[in-house]
Amino acid sequence: RAMWDTATGNITREEKMMIHELLMRGIANDQFIRQISREVRGSMDEMTGKVFDIMAMPFSRMETFNRKSAALAAFRVYKEKGEGFQDALDKARDFIYDTHYLMTKANIPHAARGVDIPSQAIGTAYTFRRFTHNYVLSMIYSFRDADGNFYLKKMDVFLRSLAWMAVFGGLAG
């Protein structure tokens, strides 16, 4: 529902304020596309950079849409639990970071953080592996309870995820 409401603009004044606040703080922005743009722009001339920006626009808008939708869903849940605006906003921010990750150099492997040519090559290659890396981490995380204890019985998220990959992978080819 939050995705539909974000797409159609069917949100309250308070929800608009929450989304505006998260956008102004850079939390609900297109962090991943901006990071890729910063990494790639160093080797491009100005015209090629503009072409890259135009080609990245759909991905940029989708990332922002996903972050806003996640924030709206979390904000609504916490408001329904009786939280005030600021507490619900803070928890929505945390939810975005838990589900979409903070896109910084701190969240990439150490070998990819440097400014030398090998580090830049590793960083560029890792750009296209982040989803896989984060997916595996989220699957491992899904086996844990609120206290961080590992339980093999908590396989439901993992199995549903595999099932959907099989369905969509089968449809694709």
Side-chain angles (χ1 to χ4, degrees):
R1 178 171 162 97
M3 291 182 95
W4 178 259
D5 290 344
T6 299
T8 61
N10 185 25
I11 56 177
T12 67
R13 184 173 178 271
E14 185 178 48
E15 291 167 345
K16 287 179 186 176
M17 288 173 37
M18 178 271 306
I19 290 173
H20 176 76
E21 181 70 23
L22 293 177
L23 286 169
M24 291 298 101
R25 291 184 189 177
I27 297 165
N29 292 345
D30 52 344
Q31 295 179 15
F32 186 57
I33 294 299
R34 289 179 187 203
Q35 182 177 354
I36 292 172
S37 178
R38 283 190 303 270
E39 291 174 9
V40 172
R41 278 188 173 274
S43 62
M44 293 183 180
D45 61 28
E46 186 177 340
M47 185 58 151
T48 308
K50 288 181 181 181
V51 170
F52 175 83
D53 289 342
I54 291 168
M55 291 175 59
M57 197 173 297
F59 301 103
S60 173
R61 297 241 170 110
M62 196 69 220
E63 182 181 0
T64 302
F65 173 78
N66 285 339
R67 287 174 178 267
K68 286 166 48 176
S69 298
L72 181 59
F75 185 79
R76 286 177 172 173
V77 165
Y78 291 114
K79 288 297 287 181
E80 286 175 9
K81 290 183 176 182
E83 301 279 347
F85 177 82
Q86 190 60 48
D87 288 337
L89 174 77
D90 291 342
K91 289 180 180 180
R93 177 205 59 218
D94 294 344
F95 183 73
I96 290 176
Y97 286 152
D98 287 344
T99 57
H100 291 84
Y101 310 102
L102 179 61
M103 298 299 177
T104 69
K105 285 196 178 264
N107 289 334
I108 61 175
H110 184 69
R113 294 184 202 164
V115 295
D116 57 338
I117 292 173
S119 294
Q120 291 298 308
I122 293 169
T124 301
Y126 189 69
T127 295
F128 303 104
R129 302 304 299 161
R130 285 189 181 133
F131 172 79
T132 306
H133 183 219
N134 289 330
Y135 176 76
V136 169
L137 288 175
S138 69
M139 288 299 100
I140 291 168
Y141 183 74
S142 73
F143 282 100
R144 299 183 187 276
D145 64 7
D147 296 324
N149 299 317
F150 186 82
Y151 289 104
L152 198 55
K153 292 179 183 177
K154 294 183 60 91
M155 294 183 81
D156 59 326
V157 172
F158 175 72
L159 292 174
R160 280 195 311 261
S161 180
L162 286 179
W164 282 114
M165 282 198 303
V167 167
F168 290 123
L171 291 174

